[in-house]
Amino acid sequence: MLIPLSSPGFTALIAGLGLTLSLIIAPGAQNIFLLRMGILRRHIVVLALICMASDALLIAAGVAGFGAVVRHVPWLFDVVRWFGVAFLVFYGLSAAWRAWRPSGQTLVVDEPAPTPAGSGSGSDAGSDSGLSLGTGTAAVLTREVTAVAAPTRTLVPAILSCLAMTWLNPHAYLDTVFLIGSVSAGYGDLRWLFGAGAVLGSVIWFTFLAYASRYAARLLRSPRSWRILDALIAVAMLALAASLALS
């Protein structure tokens, strides 16, 4: 059933959407991780869906009033905070190591071109070398990228890292369970429409981020560009860890 544009329900929906977008666009650990994995073409659809589902669960918990329950067990928040600090420090130092001791990773972006009849042998030679010989635009990772990305090349480690970025990040709880949950309480019976708008905002953002990361890959065609990216990730992750530790 469609919600009339002039109804209070639509107002609550748009309010939840706007609040989530204003909170989620900040360059946090989750966004940085998802952007890097999207650039590497590593399970980006699965990871984006995990981020959406995690936000949906946290927002639902906030709208349901779970924040009031958590306030009675403050030590739980501290446990999550220090686990989050440890994970961010580890991830930041890993990125710093990649920037300090690079392995020559590059990303070749090519447009897929139709293969002419009778040119099968040339195509096989290109695939054996691990490089793209075509003129067209599918991303082709060189051998160096495969070697450097080994820690997150499989699906399970990537999923675990994504879950850690979300569920060990106290800011995620503050933004969703506490802030969105508190604001939704002001909408009374319409609070679930407010929550639905908040979830919609999360879906829009992570869809955009996953899609945009594929175009960002075009900027990373040299080892030097990857060193710069890893250095920026290291600074961001360590800064986030420091802010969590001192908060």
Side-chain angles (χ1 to χ4, degrees):
M1 183 178 65
L2 296 177
I3 305 174
L5 299 183
S6 58
S7 68
F10 183 76
T11 301
L13 185 76
I14 294 300
L17 171 66
L19 178 59
T20 296
L21 288 177
S22 68
L23 294 171
I24 204 172
I25 290 177
Q30 190 183 49
N31 288 341
I32 294 171
F33 173 78
L34 191 64
L35 180 63
R36 186 177 191 278
M37 296 301 288
I39 290 172
L40 287 171
R41 306 312 207 308
R42 299 289 181 186
H43 318 297
I44 184 61
V45 173
V46 174
L47 297 178
L49 289 174
I50 289 174
C51 291
M52 295 175 197
S54 296
D55 273 10
L57 289 173
L58 290 170
I59 289 169
V63 174
F66 187 71
V69 177
V70 175
R71 289 190 183 95
H72 294 290
V73 280
W75 59 267
L76 181 61
F77 192 81
D78 286 334
V79 169
V80 172
R81 178 165 67 99
W82 286 111
F83 270 107
V85 168
F87 183 79
L88 289 174
V89 167
F90 169 78
Y91 198 86
L93 291 178
S94 298
W97 179 257
R98 290 194 303 267
W100 180 257
R101 298 291 299 271
S103 298
Q105 64 196 102
T106 58
L107 186 66
V108 178
V109 179
D110 250 356
E111 297 273 345
T115 303
S119 61
S121 59
S123 143
D124 291 340
S127 62
D128 287 342
S129 65
L131 299 173
S132 172
L133 301 179
T135 56
T137 71
V140 180
L141 296 179
T142 64
R143 289 177 177 175
E144 288 82 4
V145 171
T146 303
V148 173
T152 53
R153 64 184 298 181
T154 59
L155 181 59
V156 172
I159 289 176
L160 293 177
S161 295
C162 186
L163 290 173
M165 290 291 178
T166 302
W167 295 91
L168 293 182
N169 180 9
H171 289 302
Y173 296 91
L174 291 174
D175 289 345
T176 55
V177 177
F178 292 102
L179 182 55
I180 292 177
S182 298
V183 175
S184 70
Y187 286 86
D189 293 338
L190 298 176
R191 67 185 184 276
W192 287 107
L193 278 175
F194 179 90
V199 171
L200 179 61
S202 174
V203 170
I204 291 173
W205 170 250
F206 287 121
T207 301
F208 166 77
L209 192 61
Y211 188 76
S213 66
R214 301 183 68 85
Y215 288 92
R218 299 171 184 273
L219 304 175
L220 300 169
R221 299 184 181 185
S222 70
R224 182 172 181 271
S225 62
W226 281 94
R227 292 187 70 180
I228 293 173
L229 175 65
D230 281 326
L232 292 175
I233 290 175
V235 171
M237 292 298 185
L238 293 176
L240 288 169
S243 68
L244 280 182
L246 298 175
S247 63

